Amino acid sequence: MKRLKIALLQIAPAGSTDANLEKGIAACKKAKEMGADLALFPEMWSNGYDLYNRPPEAWKADAIPADGEFVGAFGRLARELGMAIGVTLLERYGDAPRNTLALFDRHGERKLTYAKVHTCDFDAERHLTPGEDFYVATLDTACGEVEVGAMICYDREFPESARILMLKGAELILVPNACPMELNRLAQLRGRAYENMLAIATCNYPAGVPDCNGASSVFDGVVYPPEADGSRDTCILQAGGDEGIYLAELDLEQLRRYRETEVQGNAYRRPKKYGLLLDESVRAPFNRTDRRKEE
C-alpha cells in the first residue's frame, strides 16, 4: 500500500538565516533517516518568523530571494536525499517581501512557489505583499506522485483556500504555521480535510517560540471508510509542544478510494448559487479600517 511518510519539522529557529540553514539541513537529514518521503518546515523558516517587536525596516532586511542560496541549498538537499522538501522563507519581492513556501520534489526540481494569500493585515504582515493565487503541483516522491497544494497559517481561516485547492485537484495540502494551534484552529483543519476529502499536514513552531505551541498535525480526511462502523478520527498525527521531528504515514490508496465514492468534495456542489462569494463589499460588523483593498 502507498503510505506517504510526512515529516513535520517542529523545530525552533536558531537566530540567523545562516544558522537556520544549517539547522534546517540537519533536520531534513534526520527526517530522511526516519524514513520520510516529504519534509515540511514551519512558516517563514529563513528568519524564524521574527517579525514581532521589530520595526518593518529591521525585519524586511531579513528577506532573501526565492532563487537564492538559502532556498537553492534545500533543492540540492532534496536531490541528494531523494526526499521532497517544503522550505519556507521571507522572500525578497518588489517593494515589500512575501511570506513564501518553495516545494522541491525528490529530484530537487522546484514544483511550487506559493506566497501567502491571506496576509495578517491586522498585524505586522500588512507590510508584506500578498500572494495572488493558489496552486497545485504534481509532486514526485519516493512513494509515487501526489497532487499537492499549499496554504500558509492564516490562509486556513478561510474555507475558500482549501476549497480552491480541492477544485484544482489537491490530494494533500501543506500548511506551514506560526501561531498557537489550539482547539478551534485544529478543528478548522479537521473540517477542511473532511469537507474537501483531502489530507492536511500542518507544521508549527514548538512551544517556547513566541506565540507558538507546537501541536503540528496531519488529518487524512477519510471519515467514513467502508470497513468502519460509522465515522473515524481523521487525525493521524498530533504533536505535543516539544521540539522534534514528527512523522505521519498517509495511506494514499485509502484516500483515493474514498474520494472516488464519498459525497463531500465537488460532486454535489451548486456553484451557481454561490455568486455572493465574489461580492467584495464588507458590511457591519466586519468593517475594519486596516483592511487591504483589492486593486
Side-chain angles (χ1 to χ4, degrees), residues 20 24 28 38 75 110 136 172 177 200-201 223 226 254 259 285 290:
N20 288 341
C28 287
L38 166 63
R110 189 190 302 236
V136 173
L172 168 64
N177 199 80
I200 297 184
V223 180
Q254 180 191 46
R259 287 164 63 89
D290 54 5

Side-chain angles (χ1 to χ4, degrees), residues 33-54:
E33 291 173 5
M34 295 168 64
D37 302 308
L38 166 63
L40 178 64
F41 282 89
E43 183 178 8
M44 209 182 286
W45 173 250
S46 66
N47 78 332
Y49 201 86
D50 187 16
L51 308 187
Y52 297 120
N53 302 315
R54 300 174 66 200

Side-chain angles (χ1 to χ4, degrees), residues 51-110:
L51 308 187
Y52 297 120
N53 302 315
R54 300 174 66 200
E57 296 74 21
W59 55 258
K60 283 182 178 180
D62 297 336
I64 59 174
D67 58 355
E69 176 57 29
F70 182 92
V71 176
F74 287 100
R76 295 190 295 273
L77 183 64
R79 182 173 63 249
E80 173 190 330
L81 299 177
M83 179 183 74
I85 297 175
V87 64
T88 57
L89 63 148
L90 178 63
E91 179 194 356
R92 187 181 303 158
Y93 187 86
D95 295 329
R98 301 197 304 181
N99 185 340
T100 300
L101 165 75
L103 180 63
F104 295 95
D105 70 9
R106 67 188 176 112
H107 306 293
E109 181 179 345
R110 189 190 302 236

Side-chain angles (χ1 to χ4, degrees), residues 163-177:
R163 181 63 90 194
I164 289 172
L165 290 168
M166 179 274 289
L167 293 172
K168 290 186 174 183
E171 301 174 293
L172 168 64
I173 299 177
L174 304 178
V175 188
N177 199 80

Side-chain angles (χ1 to χ4, degrees), residues 29 100 181 289:
K29 290 180 177 179
T100 300
M181 291 307 298
T289 57

